[in-house]
Amino acid sequence: MAKSMMIVHTLEELFPARRLLDGPVGLVPTMGFLHAGHISLVQQAKSECKSVVVSIFVNPTQFGPNEDLASYPRNIERDLHLLEEAGVDIVWMPTPEVMYPAGYQTWVEVESLTRPLEGSMRPGHFRGVTTVVAKLFNATRPDRAYFGQKDAQQAAVIRQMARDLSYALEIVICPILREADGLAMSSRNTYLNPEQRQAAPVLYRSLLAARAAYEQGERSAEKLCQMVKDVLSTEPQAQLQYVSCADYNTLAELENVSGKALISMAVFVGKTRLIDNIVLG
Ligand SMILES: Nc1ncnc2c1ncn2[C@@H]1O[C@H](COP(=O)(O)OP(=O)(O)OP(=O)(O)O)[C@@H](O)[C@H]1O
Ligand SMILES: [Mg+2]
């Protein structure tokens, strides 16, 4: 019989439960309202680790003052059911008070990698992300931690943080799971009304147009970004916030693509902000 899943909230509950796990231990950090993208991370963790811990925490410190913290979608019962089916050992659901008790004053900040792209559009976002992920690592002591390539800059920032802070763990980045029409899975897709949902696959189509041009030999970053813009402009519901063609490792903007490159974008469809990316080379 499969072991039953432990659900813990406080550190006092988590620590003894963690000590009982057989290693290697995999950690999958999430904000809940789980979809198949999250479950693919859990499955990857299951395939590589003896035990799997999933955290569900809508981290207030990574939301800006005008962002959607209050309305962020939640469905804990459904999440727990999916995680139990996936064979997770521990689900840790801390409250904000567990993570940030009164008087909290310690922050983790990665410097230049967090400046461009998402960091420039969402000031303070990555400081919240790296702080909470460091705390999740410290509390769960995983051997491997699993993140999605959908959040490409986050993946790079977490890798940097793990290196810089000497974490004895491996960061595993998993591929983007997409809906059948190409839309990258995201909890925030639930905000889209039917008309917006129909329009949203234009993000991926625009990235595929750039990839096709790259495969035909186009190397100018400006021209590749222009292809993205041209496809997006055919969809009146989509408002581009930024598109970037950057070095895959440093995230520095490129003039010409020579090595591995990341084309990434943020697009508003109505009030919903969607991100997506594609890797070239
Ligand atoms: N479509 C996807 N494919 C693979 N991994 C994903 C996908 N969507 C999210 N992830 C990963 O799941 C982890 C938890 O992300 P999170 O809970 O923020 O979900 P989300 O779908 O990104 O939600 P939101 O878009 O509202 O931020 C992150 O490492 C994220 O990169
Ligand atoms: Mg997310």
Side-chain angles (χ1 to χ4, degrees):
M1 202 185 81
K3 258 188 316 177
S4 66
M5 183 170 82
M6 289 269 294
I7 300 167
V8 298
H9 298 86
T10 64
L11 294 169
E12 291 72 20
E13 293 167 326
L14 172 67
F15 291 160
R18 165 63 185 89
R19 260 181 247 120
L20 292 176
L21 294 181
D22 293 328
V25 172
L27 170 69
V28 182
T30 82
M31 300 204 299
F33 208 75
L34 303 180
H35 50 67
H38 295 111
I39 301 304
S40 74
L41 304 192
V42 172
Q43 284 165 346
Q44 173 101 17
K46 285 282 290 181
S47 75
E48 298 175 355
C49 305
K50 261 266 167 59
S51 307
V52 174
V53 179
V54 173
S55 60
I56 299 179
F57 181 57
V58 181
N59 174 35
T61 65
Q62 72 188 67
F63 286 77
N66 300 316
E67 293 184 357
D68 56 344
L69 174 61
S71 59
Y72 195 82
R74 298 170 199 245
N75 188 340
I76 290 298
E77 264 189 45
R78 188 168 157 276
D79 290 350
L80 292 176
H81 178 74
L82 290 170
L83 295 176
E84 179 130 55
E85 267 190 341
V88 166
D89 297 279
I90 298 178
V91 181
W92 181 30
M93 301 192 293
T95 59
E97 293 70 31
V98 166
M99 294 307 256
Y100 304 108
Y104 188 87
Q105 50 183 299
T106 302
W107 299 92
V108 175
E109 206 163 341
V110 171
E111 295 186 341
S112 54
L113 260 184
T114 65
R115 305 274 189 261
L117 307 174
E118 289 298 286
S120 74
M121 297 299 162
R122 305 183 66 188
H125 169 67
F126 284 118
R127 180 183 192 247
V129 168
T130 46
T131 298
V132 82
V133 170
K135 289 168 63 66
L136 296 171
F137 286 178
N138 292 339
T140 64
R141 294 180 291 106
D143 298 287
R144 301 195 180 93
Y146 295 81
F147 296 87
Q149 173 64 19
K150 190 198 72 183
D151 298 275
Q153 186 176 17
Q154 170 174 280
V157 167
I158 299 289
R159 267 210 212 93
Q160 183 74 41
M161 177 191 83
R163 227 181 3 258
D164 290 351
L165 294 184
S166 314
Y167 278 106
L169 54 77
E170 184 190 342
I171 305 294
V172 182
I173 307 303
C174 305
I176 303 178
L177 240 78
R178 298 180 180 281
E179 303 288 354
D181 59 11
L183 175 62
M185 288 183 183
S186 161
S187 303
R188 287 182 166 107
N189 291 348
T190 191
Y191 294 144
L192 302 170
N193 69 29
E195 201 186 341
Q196 294 166 339
R197 174 63 190 79
Q198 263 207 325
V202 74
L203 276 77
Y204 189 49
R205 281 208 309 279
S206 72
L207 293 170
L208 289 181
R211 170 178 281 167
Y214 172 82
E215 280 167 1
Q216 301 289 309
E218 183 59 67
R219 291 295 181 271
S220 153
E222 195 187 320
K223 289 207 174 119
L224 292 168
C225 289
Q226 190 59 47
M227 308 237 25
V228 169
K229 291 178 191 164
D230 289 346
V231 174
L232 275 174
S233 67
T234 64
E235 177 46 72
Q237 307 248 24
Q239 297 302 324
L240 179 69
Q241 188 180 41
Y242 71 81
V243 56
S244 149
C245 180
D247 179 88
Y248 178 81
N249 291 306
T250 65
L251 303 183
E253 283 302 308
L254 295 172
E255 274 186 31
N256 289 291
V257 179
S258 49
K260 221 171 159 186
L262 178 76
I263 301 194
S264 63
M265 66 197 316
V267 174
F268 280 96
V269 177
K271 287 188 172 134
T272 304
R273 186 174 181 278
L274 302 176
I275 59 172
D276 202 349
N277 69 82
I278 209 164
V279 177
L280 304 178

